[in-house]
Amino acid sequence: MKKVVEFFYVDAFTIETFGGNPAGVIPHAENLTDEEMLNIANELNLSETAFLLPSTNDNADYQIKYFTPTKEVDFCGHATLGTAWLMASKYNWIDKDEKIIFESNIGLIPVKWITENNHLKSVSMTQVRPHVKSIDISPEVVADLVGLEETDIDDRYPIKIANTGVPHLMVPVKTRQAIDQAEPKLNELKKMNNHFNISTTHLFTFDTNGEFDIYTRDFCPNIGIDEDPVTGAANGALGGYLYLENILAQQEKHQLVIGQGHTINRPGTLYVTITPDGENAVIEVAGAAVVSIEGKILL
């Protein structure tokens, strides 16, 4: 007898269907094996698919697992946001509680609702505490790997690994034009990321003509994705990097609007809030979402 598995595509960090970053969501994965989850993620062929299972943690509502088309990953921001949006809007969690809490491989991820006139406007996830570390690699090598000139690298800021759950390489770039024109050497970039145990390589710039506070692109061939359109995990890590490196004033609260995905026609907007907390900070990443596709998979 075949298993019937309900699935959804949820476009995260957008208010437009076919914008932002599409995530697969399987809200009832309790009868699936890890192999079946990987096969489903490969079939849906999105950067990540999230699977919800019962949690044994009294402080969590669900366990959440994430798969790319090729492997399981510990955390995915846009799939978390898309899953929370789906649970709030289609499964009426917005009427049950002010938030939903997922148990993941990196710990508990609370996601709260942001409403306006009793309508869901966005959801906001709190990521794990940020940290940064140095990397022994030259700007010249990084520029070559991501398809930039070395003069495109903004040497006012350090190239470092930042983490709010999984590690991302932060690459400061002088202009949006340079970021848009970047053509990474994906095979070589994959080798470098695997060597340093980096999940993605994240280009960012403050050159946005006032449209956003920051503009970004994200490359991640080592987890089976050439380019991730709009990246909740990497932009949360970016917020932590900017705070911990004192690029944004410490002991002040910051609210950033970040644009991403425009180069590959999946434009999206993220809202990153950085709240000081002792020597560290609390990072929240918020955005809207749209349920674009729903259907059934027959196993």
Side-chain angles (χ1 to χ4, degrees):
M1 185 174 178
K2 289 185 175 180
K3 294 180 185 177
V4 179
V5 180
E6 191 175 25
F7 77 91
F8 297 85
Y9 277 28
V10 186
D11 297 334
F13 300 114
T14 182
I15 58 172
E16 302 287 344
T17 303
F18 311 133
N21 197 353
V25 181
I26 310 296
H28 298 289
E30 56 271 16
N31 295 319
L32 298 176
T33 65
D34 282 2
E35 182 181 7
E36 287 171 331
M37 292 183 205
L38 180 59
N39 288 337
I40 288 170
N42 184 52
E43 182 74 11
L44 295 183
N45 198 32
L46 299 174
S47 56
E48 277 95 359
T49 296
F51 297 81
L52 290 185
L53 303 95
S55 174
T56 57
N57 188 319
D58 291 340
N59 296 315
D61 298 302
Y62 292 95
Q63 181 188 7
I64 189 167
K65 294 170 72 75
Y66 311 94
F67 286 83
T68 77
T70 62
K71 62 187 293 187
E72 183 178 3
V73 293
D74 288 336
F75 176 62
C76 173
H78 83 276
T80 303
L81 184 134
T83 301
W85 182 278
L86 178 77
M87 299 307 291
S89 58
K90 187 169 181 65
Y91 289 87
N92 301 318
W93 266 88
I94 195 167
D95 299 323
K96 299 176 184 179
D97 203 339
E98 61 185 14
K99 65 183 182 300
I100 190 168
I101 301 176
F102 299 121
E103 175 198 3
S104 75
N105 288 349
I106 64 166
L108 297 180
I109 308 169
V111 188
K112 63 185 179 184
W113 326 128
I114 300 172
T115 60
E116 192 172 275
N117 298 324
N118 294 320
H119 290 285
L120 184 63
K121 183 180 179 183
S122 63
V123 299
S124 179
M125 58 183 161
T126 301
Q127 298 187 356
V128 302
R129 292 301 177 94
H131 62 267
V132 296
K133 67 177 184 179
S134 299
I135 180 172
D136 185 17
I137 192 169
S138 72
E140 179 184 8
V141 169
V142 172
D144 181 62
L145 289 173
V146 299
L148 296 173
E149 299 295 330
E150 186 179 0
T151 53
D152 291 324
I153 302 293
D154 193 338
D155 58 10
R156 294 176 297 171
Y157 313 116
I159 296 173
K160 286 196 172 184
I161 298 171
N163 191 321
T164 50
V166 290
H168 307 269
L169 185 65
M170 298 294 141
V171 182
V173 181
K174 290 177 181 175
T175 66
R176 173 173 174 172
Q177 181 180 13
I179 287 183
D180 284 340
Q181 293 175 348
E183 295 183 5
K185 298 176 179 178
L186 292 168
N187 286 335
E188 295 177 40
L189 185 63
K190 177 179 180 178
K191 292 176 184 176
M192 183 275 285
N193 282 1
N194 283 331
H195 176 74
F196 288 106
N197 192 30
I198 296 164
S199 179
T200 78
T201 301
H202 199 60
L203 280 56
F204 73 92
T205 184
F206 292 102
D207 171 43
T208 68
N209 292 322
E211 188 178 359
F212 312 103
D213 296 311
I214 301 173
Y215 179 77
T216 68
R217 279 182 81 183
D218 195 78
F219 303 115
C220 31
N222 53 310
I223 58 172
I225 310 153
D226 291 348
E227 180 169 356
D228 210 7
V230 194
T231 321
N235 283 301
L238 172 61
Y241 157 92
L242 295 172
Y243 183 84
L244 294 176
E245 291 297 312
N246 209 23
I247 298 166
L248 298 177
Q250 293 190 351
Q251 303 311 316
E252 292 182 21
K253 185 173 183 176
H254 300 277
Q255 294 180 301
L256 303 174
V257 181
I258 300 178
Q260 192 183 336
H262 299 67
T263 312
I264 53 174
N265 297 314
R266 301 285 319 201
T269 306
L270 311 94
Y271 303 90
V272 177
T273 301
I274 305 162
T275 304
D277 186 18
E279 295 182 359
N280 208 305
V282 176
I283 306 294
E284 297 171 273
V285 178
V290 179
V291 179
S292 58
I293 298 174
E294 57 181 288
K296 293 181 172 67
I297 297 170
L298 307 179
L299 296 182

